[in-house]
Amino acid sequence: MQIKRMLFGVICLSVVIAIGIKYGRSFSAHQEHKYTQAITSAHSPLIPLAIIGGGPAGYSAGLYGARQKVHTVVFEGARPGGQLMETSYVDNWPGNPHTLGKDIMDKVRAQAVLFGAVMVPLTIKSINTRTWPFELETHEGDKLYALSVVIATGATPKLLDVPGVKTYWGRGITTCAICDAPFYKDKDVIVVGGGDAAVEEALQLVGYAKSITICVRGSAVRPSAASFVERFNKEYSSIHMLYNTNIKQILGDDAHVQKVVLETNGVKDVRDIDGVFFAIGHKPNTDWIAPDMLKLHKDGFIDIDSHSQSWGSQSTSVHGVFAAGDVADNRYRQAGVASGDGIKAVLDALSFLREISFESTGKETFFVPKSRVLGELLPVTSHEVLSQKLKARDSGIVIVEFYTDACPTCVRMVKVVQQTLGEFKDQAIGLKVHAIKSADISRTYAIAKAPTVLIFKNGSEMARITDLMSQQDFNALIKGLL
């Protein structure tokens, strides 16, 4: 009996060790982590507290970290501000009723910067949790070392996997009514989804589209959206509900969406349509995390449930790495909750830094981003001026961004283009066109989404971008065309 118990104990210990190895940690190894001068000498540049992601969770974490006088770096990634930047008015942010999502995020970011948080417009490509300090690699190929990490990379809207979606993305298919509603004035559109997001998309379209059909896969919308449907019936004759309906295919003329194939209660129907807006949920942004670096749930969300009692409520499977916001939350998915999670995550991270006896010696080489020179986008309002600019740069690159006033993503893409122009200042020029006010130019170039960036070389269109692109990817695209 005693031998059996010993054998059972050995097996259990082996399982525990194997799990620890799989998720990049030894249960005893982190007890040995101590901050020493040897650590700083071998790992440079060093980041005591790295925040990966710049939405409500990331900015809130940055604010609290910097306020504790810890060198805090926020890697804002490709979508600074997160999903809130692409919403209209927010009524449930505490203390700020009926405020634009962009304004909320701008204020939180500014407050974090005020306390000393370092904002970096870089995207983290990978994290290595098998070493400590943790190794971070940017898309530019730089390697950085972090004593503690908070992952707040959020989530991105889902698209349906049906024929036509990839072909017509940005050509009649979108996920942002606040950005693209003006393109659909007096047109017929479909909104796909049955929750709050679908309702908000429809409300954004009311002032523009001739008719809006909300296609709901089930027999009813979610309870939180039910009151809005009642409001639709009373106030908005242009909004129509279609239940038990699935999109089977999206058709067009290669330039733009023209028809959609629907299936309602098993019966197929082909409808003429001008635009399709998806509002069917989000997927967590965890593709950049290797499977053996952190424990993820099967749906891709970071697991913070298994270790919350030991290391804090936002702890991941690796001690010293924490997660907050929609990247780890598949239940609440609210900006206010994400902000609170970011605060909890950074408090957990600060506790970890105390545990390893972190205290700046003044001799470390902390990471500081490189200063960047920004280029300028010249406004263009007529066909004639645009043609002249293209002809004048027959031997070079011309970057043209089409934007709208109510498009937060356009503002972020402008910054990307400006930084690229600064880097390639003698080889490219930048122009910007208001896609609605200069509708004739938009029609000529089949612009149906904001932002849209066209890249010309020798007068010919070489590339078309219909979504936000990371700084690194955009630079690489331009470099490849030179």
Side-chain angles (χ1 to χ4, degrees):
M1 179 66 71
Q2 188 173 1
I3 294 175
K4 288 183 177 179
R5 287 177 179 172
M6 291 176 63
L7 182 59
F8 179 74
V10 170
I11 293 172
C12 289
L13 180 60
S14 300
V15 171
V16 170
I17 292 173
I19 293 173
I21 291 173
K22 178 179 179 181
Y23 294 113
R25 66 182 177 92
S26 162
F27 289 106
S28 62
H30 283 281
Q31 296 173 5
E32 301 169 1
H33 285 348
K34 293 297 177 184
Y35 183 72
T36 65
Q37 188 59 43
I39 289 289
T40 65
S41 300
H43 301 86
S44 180
L46 192 68
I47 304 172
L49 178 54
I51 316 293
I52 305 175
Y59 287 161
S60 298
L63 191 162
Y64 268 69
R67 194 167 182 266
Q68 293 299 311
K69 305 302 181 184
V70 174
H71 186 74
T72 303
V73 179
V74 180
F75 294 93
E76 296 181 280
R79 295 182 176 275
Q83 298 173 45
L84 215 57
M85 296 290 283
E86 297 180 4
T87 62
S88 56
Y89 286 97
V90 177
D91 290 310
N92 59 356
W93 185 267
N96 289 274
H98 203 61
T99 306
L100 285 172
K102 178 182 180 301
D103 291 344
I104 291 173
M105 285 295 90
D106 286 346
K107 288 179 180 179
V108 179
R109 185 185 188 277
Q111 191 174 3
V113 171
L114 181 66
F115 283 115
V118 180
M119 299 292 171
V120 184
L122 294 178
T123 302
I124 297 299
K125 176 183 177 182
S126 66
I127 180 172
N128 183 357
T129 62
R130 293 188 179 280
T131 63
W132 186 83
F134 306 113
E135 185 179 278
L136 307 177
E137 184 176 358
T138 70
H139 267 293
E140 291 182 336
D142 296 326
K143 290 188 177 180
L144 312 169
Y145 300 91
L147 298 180
S148 63
V149 176
V150 174
I151 298 175
T153 46
T156 51
K158 291 180 180 178
L159 299 177
L160 284 180
D161 185 17
V162 298
V165 170
K166 291 182 179 179
T167 302
Y168 294 105
W169 171 249
R171 298 173 184 265
I173 299 176
T174 181
T175 59
C176 182
I178 191 173
C179 304
D180 300 329
F183 292 109
Y184 296 92
K185 187 171 179 59
D186 299 326
K187 296 183 181 295
D188 301 310
V189 301
I190 280 178
V191 175
V192 183
D196 293 352
V199 166
E200 184 174 342
E201 293 290 281
L203 289 173
Q204 286 294 326
L205 288 159
V206 164
Y208 297 95
K210 180 172 63 177
S211 71
I212 305 154
T213 302
I214 302 179
C215 296
V216 184
R217 184 172 58 181
S219 59
V221 296
R222 291 178 184 171
S224 60
S227 62
F228 287 98
V229 173
E230 295 178 7
R231 181 181 166 190
F232 292 163
N233 295 333
K234 295 177 182 178
E235 299 180 26
Y236 302 113
S237 59
S238 60
I239 299 180
H240 313 281
M241 305 299 299
L242 200 57
Y243 297 101
N244 300 309
T245 299
N246 290 300
I247 286 188
K248 308 302 289 185
Q249 188 175 2
I250 297 172
L251 305 169
D253 61 356
D254 293 333
H256 199 276
V257 168
Q258 290 185 324
K259 299 178 184 293
V260 63
V261 180
L262 302 177
E263 185 177 80
T264 303
N265 295 317
V267 178
K268 287 188 177 181
D269 176 33
V270 180
R271 292 193 177 197
D272 292 334
I273 207 73
D274 299 300
V276 179
F277 290 76
F278 284 120
I280 56 173
H282 296 77
K283 62 177 182 179
N285 295 325
T286 53
D287 293 345
W288 61 281
I289 301 173
D292 58 344
M293 292 300 161
L294 284 179
K295 184 179 179 182
L296 306 178
H297 292 294
K298 62 181 181 180
D299 51 7
F301 291 89
I302 296 176
D303 178 9
I304 58 171
D305 304 319
S306 304
H307 312 281
S308 59
Q309 292 184 351
S310 302
W311 300 331
S313 64
Q314 304 303 128
S315 300
T316 70
S317 57
V318 175
H319 196 24
V321 179
F322 308 89
D326 288 1
V327 74
D329 176 14
N330 62 352
R331 181 179 181 182
Y332 299 105
R333 290 171 287 188
Q334 296 289 313
V337 175
S339 178
D341 285 352
I343 294 169
K344 290 191 293 182
V346 87
L347 291 176
D348 291 342
L350 292 170
S351 178
F352 173 78
L353 291 175
R354 288 192 295 271
E355 177 186 325
I356 64 171
S357 303
F358 169 72
E359 185 175 349
S360 177
T361 65
K363 298 179 180 179
E364 303 94 342
T365 302
F366 286 151
F367 171 74
V368 177
K370 303 172 185 175
S371 60
R372 298 172 182 268
V373 177
L374 299 181
E376 183 181 5
L377 280 81
L378 303 175
V380 173
T381 59
S382 69
H383 260 303
E384 293 76 17
V385 174
L386 180 57
S387 298
Q388 290 171 8
K389 295 289 185 182
L390 292 177
K391 290 178 180 178
R393 295 286 298 188
D394 276 347
S395 59
I397 298 291
V398 179
I399 304 171
V400 185
E401 176 170 355
F402 289 81
Y403 70 98
T404 61
D405 292 329
C407 172
T409 309
C410 297
V411 176
R412 289 183 282 180
M413 194 62 199
V414 163
K415 293 180 180 178
V416 171
V417 176
Q418 286 177 324
Q419 290 193 22
T420 298
L421 291 170
E423 185 163 337
F424 300 98
K425 56 184 178 181
D426 296 325
Q427 300 166 291
I429 65 166
L431 308 173
K432 59 181 180 181
V433 178
H434 194 291
I436 305 304
K437 294 179 181 177
S438 299
D440 57 332
I441 302 178
S442 296
R443 283 192 294 272
T444 299
Y445 291 97
I447 304 300
K449 187 180 185 303
T452 293
V453 178
L454 304 184
I455 302 173
F456 295 87
K457 183 177 182 180
N458 300 330
S460 299
E461 182 181 326
M462 304 299 293
R464 175 180 292 246
I465 298 131
T466 56
D467 203 354
L468 187 64
M469 182 178 279
S470 73
Q471 190 67 60
Q472 297 74 23
D473 290 343
F474 193 70
N475 283 357
L477 175 62
I478 298 301
K479 188 175 181 179
L481 292 173
L482 289 173

